[in-house]
Amino acid sequence: MKGLLIKEFYSVKTLAKQYLVVIVAMGVWCGFVKNPSFSPMIMSMYGAMTILTRMSYDEMVHFDKFEMTLPLSRSQVVISKYLLLGILVLIGGAVGMAGDFLIRTAVSGIKGDLWEDFISSCAVVAFFLLAFSILLPITFKMGVEKARMVLVVIYFLLFGGLYAAASFLGGLDGEQVGVFIMTGGSPALFIAGTLVFAAAVMFVSCMISVGIMKKREW
């Protein structure tokens, strides 16, 4: 397992320059428009998309088949992908949150609210963990290229669900909205509940992917 993760991070390292250019370009743009609010989403998305990039490289050089000849269980191969997904999305969310806070404070002249940035970043992290937890079993079953097309549908459905929820909440008064979203008015409980839900979906997704890999014929 440790060897798999080291191999993944060495592979991710080759993308570091590309990501650095994106981070710098995005930081300049956010500073120019004085609106860095979307940086946590962009960075979390890049972290999540790295999983598809890595799996695509493995398919291209047939490393996914070579893995099966190593003294590794199929469960370990699957779990390593989910661990990498969680680590990269969390790093992306943290980098995006830091960028949001710093740009607001240093460039926009608006005093940054670190707690508010933390809440929004956690929500974004949970969104991408949920989206890719739905996607990964499809990827293991159908391959990366077909999964990319399915990702668009997943985004559409999740954003549609969020819009429907927002419309529903718009019909409630302020107190009801606070209770519904903040779980009794506590942002900490809202954050914990959101992340626990995302983690639970990831666990179920991982078990499904393990089952798919065990039945897969190479």
Side-chain angles (χ1 to χ4, degrees):
M1 178 68 71
K2 181 179 178 181
L4 284 174
L5 287 175
I6 291 174
K7 166 255 182 185
E8 297 292 355
F9 281 115
Y10 269 117
S11 300
V12 170
K13 187 178 178 181
T14 63
L15 302 172
K17 291 182 180 179
Q18 175 186 336
Y19 287 167
L20 182 59
V21 170
V22 171
I23 292 172
V24 172
M26 188 181 68
V28 172
W29 173 252
C30 288
F32 178 75
V33 300
K34 296 183 179 181
N35 182 16
S37 59
F38 59 87
S39 59
M41 175 169 287
I42 297 297
M43 295 311 303
S44 297
M45 182 179 69
Y46 261 89
M49 289 298 295
T50 302
I51 288 293
L52 289 186
T53 302
R54 285 294 316 115
M55 295 179 74
S56 178
Y57 285 169
D58 285 350
E59 282 189 5
M60 185 169 58
V61 300
H62 304 294
F63 186 82
D64 53 339
K65 296 180 180 179
F66 175 71
E67 280 181 315
M68 298 300 99
T69 68
L70 300 175
L72 299 168
S73 69
R74 298 192 179 192
S75 299
Q76 289 175 317
V77 172
V78 171
I79 292 172
S80 69
K81 304 299 184 188
Y82 281 85
L83 287 175
L84 184 66
L85 170 65
I87 292 170
L88 293 179
V89 172
L90 287 173
I91 291 175
V95 171
M97 182 187 73
D100 188 349
F101 180 79
L102 292 174
I103 293 173
R104 284 184 189 277
T105 303
V107 178
S108 302
I110 302 173
K111 185 178 180 180
D113 187 337
L114 193 57
W115 180 241
E116 180 181 335
D117 290 340
F118 180 68
I119 293 175
S120 61
S121 295
C122 285
V124 168
V125 165
F127 174 86
F128 283 105
L129 290 179
L130 177 60
F132 278 77
S133 292
I134 298 171
L135 182 70
L136 280 180
I138 298 171
T139 306
F140 284 113
K141 181 69 175 180
M142 302 171 58
V144 176
E145 295 309 313
K146 291 181 179 178
R148 290 185 192 277
M149 295 184 287
V150 176
L151 181 60
V152 176
V153 178
I154 293 173
Y155 280 156
F156 178 80
L157 293 175
L158 289 179
F159 278 119
L162 289 174
Y163 178 80
S167 299
F168 169 72
L169 293 175
L172 303 178
D173 59 38
E175 182 179 356
Q176 289 173 316
V177 171
V179 171
F180 191 87
I181 294 182
M182 298 303 183
T183 316
S186 171
L189 287 179
F190 170 69
I191 293 170
T194 301
L195 293 178
V196 167
F197 175 73
V201 173
M202 280 188 70
F203 176 78
V204 173
S205 172
C206 185
M207 294 300 100
I208 294 173
S209 295
V210 168
I212 291 172
M213 283 292 285
K214 287 183 176 179
K215 295 179 181 178
R216 185 172 174 180
E217 296 182 1
W218 300 86

